[in-house]
Amino acid sequence: MTAVTDLVAEAAALDAADPLAHKRNEFDLDPGIAYFDGNSLGAPPKHVAGRLAAVVREEWGGRLIRSWSEGWWEAPVRVGERIAPLVGAAPGQVVVADSTSVDLFKALVAATRLNPGRDEILVDADTFPTDGYIADEVARLTGHTVRRVVAEDMPSEAGERTAVALINHVDYVTGRVHDMAELTAALHRAGALALWDLCHSVGALPVELDATGADLAVGCTYKFLNGGPGAPAFLYVATKWLDRFEQPLAGWAGDRDPFAMRGAYEAHDGIARGRAGTPDILSLLALDAALDVWDGVDRAVLREKGLALGGFFFRCADELLDGATIATPRGTDRGHQISVVDDDAAKTMAALIERGVIGDFRPPDVLRFGLAPLYTTYGEVLRAVTTLRELRVR
Amino acid sequence: MTAVTDLVAEAAALDAADPLAHKRNEFDLDPGIAYFDGNSLGAPPKHVAGRLAAVVREEWGGRLIRSWSEGWWEAPVRVGERIAPLVGAAPGQVVVADSTSVDLFKALVAATRLNPGRDEILVDADTFPTDGYIADEVARLTGHTVRRVVAEDMPSEAGERTAVALINHVDYVTGRVHDMAELTAALHRAGALALWDLCHSVGALPVELDATGADLAVGCTYKFLNGGPGAPAFLYVATKWLDRFEQPLAGWAGDRDPFAMRGAYEAHDGIARGRAGTPDILSLLALDAALDVWDGVDRAVLREKGLALGGFFFRCADELLDGATIATPRGTDRGHQISVVDDDAAKTMAALIERGVIGDFRPPDVLRFGLAPLYTTYGEVLRAVTTLRELRVR
């Protein structure tokens, strides 16, 4: 068995060689805390506070209503364009607006309209509950049926009745990544559309919406994109569908000519039609500022470090956590989150947090450790595992 | 004709006697600007910037994910309770979430479910366009028909087919206030529900939702509530309907036990079921801070000052703007906005703004001057009218 001191040296060597190590300094993180919940709430980039203060003082206070025509109104599409490269999207397909739940509703209703004559919505059975809740409500309004199917079975389950399938790119409990290219192709063979939930992959690993032929996607910006608590979500609509994309939340912001105050709604050209109400500027511009940390980040390097952090977690666990069950796959079919099974997960996580190791748990029995390649260190991974070991041998 | 110097003295006397004059100091307003667009974007209370900075630094950065259980999760209902007294609502009926457009969608779909067997939605024909757009989309999904009727005709037009009528409390173009008690009673006699859009009345004048028997209401917080650009909207559901209120945006935040991550949605007790996705904390807590300016404000005094500001506007216009047409009623059936008809409204408003008098215009021909009782002065009203006069005599 490797001694802990060896692992300490190994972690130090890995941190010293980390090509993303300089990014850590861009975040406002208490050095006494090992933070592993960037998969739930990303840490704040240091410059966001100052930028937000300037928005309040100069744009809201100083320019007042004039700011709407000085950049605010177009911000949902402009900030969407900044997210596009992180999800493998060419320009014109991403807009930032509303919450993930609301964007899922827009995307699902629109999907049923894009693929008429089919009466079924498939939902990833292991996805985050909201996805299923929203699908049930869409079905109630459109007359469709919802069927819950695990992602791996989508190719065999999708059929001539399937209008659209909603799949979580990374399973939020186990951290497993689903193969977007393969599943999308299988759904297309069945004549169904593929709608991807990117909440647990965007900002953590490369996503290739255009290259895999994905039809629609939604994602949140408050996890690995560090946009702030409850920051607005984004919606992706593939270019091929934009002209026919008809979403049900036809608020004035998605209208072709909103300030003409016309009586009948006509959808805006392009992705701006994904908007609903007046954009939430404080949150949106905090997100805009937060996205600066991605400048110059190579997505392949990001992925490599995320996998390496996870690999080091496995290595530490193998050495120090005898017999622990880890729900996350060991191969490259994982995102940047390690899920340790623990019978008393709620209490164990509370004890970890008390010791300065902050992750979270998901019922009934999973401890989640998010690995954010921009700021998580190998030293912190070792600290998480050694702290967990201390709690287990008590 | 009264000399301008007399009006100057009159404005000074009115400002000196203004019981709300001290409130002006709570706002961050350039003293060189006369701001009349609080009906579109309220001015920032001075303390909001510091409070928001503390949220970013201490709650997001310092406490990280722990903040969700230290007040963030419940904020939508907690902040809703602070708005309740401003709309005449007893506790438990107001939640802050999403945009006005999205909340309108929730309320309209829920209304059709609360009043089944009726197939018509009436929409105030003069309301802000979003209200009609959203109603059209709800109708498309639920099979209802939308009929546009001016508010005054609602009592005669509502019939046995009418499920719900959506009315703007204050007409956004003319500034006219509709009689909530009378129209709600008439709708109830026809067996229809009354859904009120409070965007142009909340924070400007007293609203009495409970006392008038209103069924549902929505409103925005970025106008007279000064919550910040695009700040989240609120939804009111009368206590009598709460148990049966079923909104279609069944995101996890409105679930009875969201962190149990259950497969089937079950609406939360009470008004929390009006929530959809993860609340947008930065915007929500900026709004929370902004609401402090209402501490100690008597709503009757607010109304009195708003009417007096408008009255002084009329008086100045009578003296200085020979033959000008004002679309706003002169009686007490007006909100706190004066609408001056001008054939070249867009250009005239641009010229006013160049001279430091900031209002807005609405097509085709209306100049809007919002009167925010918490910070607008009589001296500014006179400045608006004299500047308008200068432009007219050129």
Side-chain angles (χ1 to χ4, degrees), chain A residues 37 42 60 65 72 105 113 129-130 133 137 140-141 222 228-230 246 248-250 252 262 265 278-281 283, chain B residues 37 42 60 65 72 105 113 129-130 133 137 140-141 222 228-230 246 248-250 252 262 265 278-281 283 363:
Chain A
D37 213 8
W60 179 12
I65 192 71
W72 284 358
F105 187 86
R113 293 168 175 176
T130 277
Y133 302 164
E137 284 292 326
R140 181 176 174 187
L141 286 167
Y222 52 75
E246 295 178 8
L249 298 170
W252 77 310
R262 301 169 311 129
Y265 177 89
T278 303
D280 198 333
I281 293 299
S283 295
Chain B
D37 213 8
W60 178 13
I65 193 72
W72 284 359
F105 187 85
R113 293 168 174 175
T130 276
Y133 301 164
E137 284 292 325
R140 181 176 173 186
L141 287 167
Y222 51 77
E246 295 177 8
L249 298 170
W252 77 309
R262 301 169 309 130
Y265 178 89
T278 303
D280 198 333
I281 292 299
S283 294

Side-chain angles (χ1 to χ4, degrees), chain B residues 260-303:
Chain B
M261 311 280 157
R262 301 169 309 130
Y265 178 89
E266 196 183 342
H268 200 287
D269 282 341
I271 191 63
R273 65 178 55 191
R275 301 171 63 164
T278 303
D280 198 333
I281 292 299
L282 299 183
S283 294
L284 189 53
L285 297 191
L287 166 63
D288 190 18
L291 290 171
D292 289 359
V293 299
W294 297 97
D295 290 349
V297 173
D298 180 314
R299 293 197 293 145
V301 171
L302 183 84
R303 177 63 171 151

Side-chain angles (χ1 to χ4, degrees), chain A residues 48-359:
Chain A
V48 170
R51 293 271 285 281
L52 194 54
V55 169
V56 172
R57 198 175 52 241
E58 294 160 25
E59 298 184 19
W60 179 12
R63 300 298 297 164
L64 291 156
I65 192 71
R66 294 167 288 190
S67 288
W68 278 113
S69 52
E70 293 170 358
W72 284 358
W73 188 259
E74 291 77 15
V77 171
R78 185 178 60 76
V79 180
E81 297 293 15
R82 298 192 68 192
I83 292 173
L86 299 171
V87 293
Q93 302 171 102
V94 179
V95 64
V96 177
D98 306 305
S99 66
T100 309
S101 299
V102 172
D103 285 340
L104 275 169
F105 187 86
K106 294 173 185 170
L108 273 174
V109 173
T112 65
R113 293 168 175 176
L114 288 169
N115 207 1
R118 290 167 170 247
D119 66 357
E120 178 182 78
I121 297 169
L122 293 186
V123 175
D124 175 357
D126 294 325
T127 192
F128 190 74
T130 277
D131 298 40
Y133 302 164
I134 294 287
D136 288 339
E137 284 292 326
V138 168
R140 181 176 174 187
L141 286 167
T142 60
H144 285 63
T145 301
V146 173
R147 197 152 55 90
R148 286 162 163 80
V149 170
V150 296
E152 306 89 272
D153 294 344
M154 291 277 180
S156 55
E157 293 289 340
E160 58 191 18
R161 291 180 52 187
T162 312
V164 57
L166 166 57
I167 310 176
N168 211 335
H169 189 203
V170 172
D171 185 291
Y172 80 105
V173 177
T174 65
R176 175 171 174 189
V177 183
H178 296 300
D179 189 322
M180 187 178 282
E182 184 187 306
L183 292 174
T184 299
L187 289 165
H188 286 176
R189 280 194 298 275
L193 300 187
L195 164 56
W196 289 91
D197 179 337
L198 306 177
C199 285
H200 288 81
S201 58
V202 62
L205 48 115
V207 179
E208 300 295 349
L209 291 172
D210 286 355
T212 58
D215 300 289
L216 300 157
V218 300
C220 88
T221 65
Y222 52 75
K223 299 179 193 286
F224 291 108
L225 291 185
N226 316 298
F234 65 88
L235 169 71
Y236 162 90
V237 180
T239 302
K240 63 185 165 193
W241 298 123
L242 273 175
D243 287 350
R244 291 171 52 204
F245 181 83
E246 295 178 8
Q247 60 111 342
L249 298 170
W252 77 310
D255 184 63
R256 175 184 295 277
D257 191 5
F259 292 94
M261 311 280 158
R262 301 169 311 129
Y265 177 89
E266 195 183 342
H268 200 287
D269 282 340
I271 192 62
R273 66 178 55 191
R275 302 172 62 165
T278 303
D280 198 333
I281 293 299
L282 299 183
S283 295
L284 189 53
L285 296 190
L287 166 63
D288 190 17
L291 290 171
D292 288 359
V293 299
W294 296 97
D295 290 350
V297 173
D298 181 312
R299 293 197 293 145
V301 172
L302 183 85
R303 177 62 171 150
E304 201 177 338
K305 181 175 172 192
L307 284 174
L309 284 165
F312 188 61
F313 194 111
F314 280 114
R315 172 153 163 64
C316 295
D318 288 345
E319 298 289 346
L320 303 174
L321 298 181
D322 193 34
T325 303
I326 297 185
T328 308
R330 289 199 171 227
T332 53
D333 56 341
R334 60 179 150 96
H336 299 166
Q337 165 196 318
I338 302 291
S339 300
V340 180
V341 177
D342 184 290
D343 289 342
D344 214 9
K347 279 191 187 162
T348 301
M349 186 46 71
L352 282 165
I353 291 173
E354 215 169 87
R355 286 158 180 78
V357 175
I358 302 182

Side-chain angles (χ1 to χ4, degrees), chain B residues 85-256:
Chain B
L86 299 171
V87 294
Q93 303 171 103
V94 180
V95 64
V96 177
D98 306 306
S99 65
T100 309
S101 298
V102 172
D103 285 340
L104 275 169
F105 187 85
K106 294 173 185 168
L108 273 175
V109 173
T112 64
R113 293 168 174 175
L114 287 169
N115 206 359
R118 290 167 170 247
D119 66 356
E120 177 183 79
I121 297 169
L122 293 186
V123 175
D124 175 357
D126 294 325
T127 192
F128 191 74
T130 276
D131 298 38
Y133 301 164
I134 294 288
D136 288 340
E137 284 292 325
V138 169
R140 181 176 173 186
L141 287 167
T142 60
H144 285 63
T145 301
V146 173
R147 197 151 55 91
R148 287 163 163 81
V149 169
V150 295
E152 305 90 272
D153 294 344
M154 291 276 180
S156 54
E157 293 288 341
E160 58 191 18
R161 293 180 51 188
T162 311
V164 56
L166 167 56
I167 311 176
N168 212 335
H169 189 203
V170 172
D171 186 291
Y172 80 105
V173 177
T174 65
R176 176 171 173 187
V177 183
H178 297 300
D179 189 322
M180 187 179 283
E182 184 187 304
L183 291 174
T184 299
L187 289 165
H188 286 177
R189 280 194 298 275
L193 300 187
L195 165 56
W196 289 91
D197 178 337
L198 306 177
C199 286
H200 288 81
S201 57
V202 61
L205 47 115
V207 179
E208 300 295 349
L209 291 172
D210 285 355
T212 58
D215 300 288
L216 300 158
V218 300
C220 88
T221 65
Y222 51 77
K223 298 180 193 287
F224 290 109
L225 291 184
N226 316 299
F234 65 88
L235 169 70
Y236 162 91
V237 180
T239 302
K240 62 185 166 193
W241 298 122
L242 273 175
D243 287 350
R244 292 170 51 203
F245 182 84
E246 295 177 8
Q247 60 111 341
L249 298 170
W252 77 309
D255 184 62
R256 174 183 294 275

